[in-house]
Amino acid sequence: MTKRIAVYPGTFDPMTLGHLDIVRRGANLADTLVIGVTTNPSKEPMFSVAERLAMVRREVAGLAANIKVVEFDSLLMDFAEAQGALMILRGLRAVADFEYEFQMAGMNQQLNDEIETVFLMADVSLQPIASKLVKEIARYRGDIGKFVTPAVAADVKRHLSRG
Ligand code: ADP
């Protein structure tokens, strides 16, 4: 039987408890879950891609044995194909995510109709979490402890104190 490989792409700037919940669910669905960490310079990430790769690897260590973390800097469909993926996993939060995700999934389907985009919902309590807001709260010295792990909170704090 062919292995069911799923790719979960994202910027993970930084990785939140919402991302981790999607990873946990995705790892249950697929034989192998490939987390694709995009370089995404257009988003001007707080953390470099090397920092985000190390962060994601650390956060998912011990979660499940079937998780791989890989950097990518190409078209998502090309990356997914190169990984031998059957599906792309995306997390859906609110209505606000829907339009963008719907459009992206539609265009990706036209690029490669053999790879399905599958949407997962995080636990209800984790759905409002967004990396962007985590960074904003941290910049104003708010407590991000409910949204990220202690190690990620320390990473963000360290980053902000570096200026
Ligand atoms: P991208 O730049 O690809 O949007 P993100 O790191 O912001 O990268 O998000 C990666 C994926 O995780 C996206 O599909 C996003 O919708 C999903 N995601 C992020 N936060 C949550 C959350 N709290 N609950 C469910 N899905 C989420």
Side-chain angles (χ1 to χ4, degrees):
M1 259 236 321
T2 48
K3 271 183 43 160
R4 302 175 78 85
I5 300 170
V7 163
Y8 175 42
T11 314
F12 307 107
D13 185 52
M15 189 168 216
T16 68
L17 297 182
H19 291 132
L20 277 169
D21 192 60
I22 298 291
V23 167
R24 188 179 56 77
R25 290 169 197 273
N28 282 338
L29 274 182
D31 294 318
T32 303
L33 178 70
V34 180
I35 304 178
V37 180
T38 165
T39 49
N40 211 347
S42 65
K43 269 201 171 178
E44 297 187 14
M46 171 183 267
F47 294 96
S48 70
V49 69
E51 287 172 324
R52 286 181 281 123
L53 265 178
M55 178 193 291
V56 173
R57 288 205 173 109
R58 182 194 66 211
E59 293 300 310
V60 304
L63 209 60
N66 62 337
I67 302 174
K68 264 182 20 179
V69 185
V70 180
E71 171 185 341
F72 81 102
D73 186 20
S74 59
L75 207 56
L76 172 58
M77 276 324 215
D78 292 343
F79 173 68
E81 202 178 326
Q83 293 294 321
L86 194 72
M87 58 186 149
I88 289 169
L89 298 183
R90 295 289 287 173
L92 255 197
R93 283 167 291 196
V95 189
D97 276 349
F98 182 77
E99 193 159 337
Y100 172 71
E101 295 289 345
F102 177 79
Q103 200 170 18
M104 194 165 76
M107 290 185 72
N108 280 336
Q109 194 182 73
Q110 298 203 33
L111 290 175
N112 185 338
D113 197 24
E114 310 219 310
I115 300 178
E116 294 294 342
T117 302
V118 175
F119 294 102
L120 296 178
M121 273 167 64
D123 185 90
V124 187
S125 65
L126 303 174
Q127 282 180 22
I129 304 176
S131 298
K132 192 171 163 224
L133 295 178
V134 165
K135 286 180 281 189
E136 234 167 88
I137 293 167
R139 278 197 189 100
Y140 290 106
R141 302 192 196 290
D143 181 9
I144 57 172
K146 285 208 170 99
F147 314 126
V148 297
T149 64
V152 171
D155 288 340
V156 173
K157 220 171 159 179
R158 207 175 318 110
H159 204 284
L160 289 173
S161 68
R162 262 194 262 150

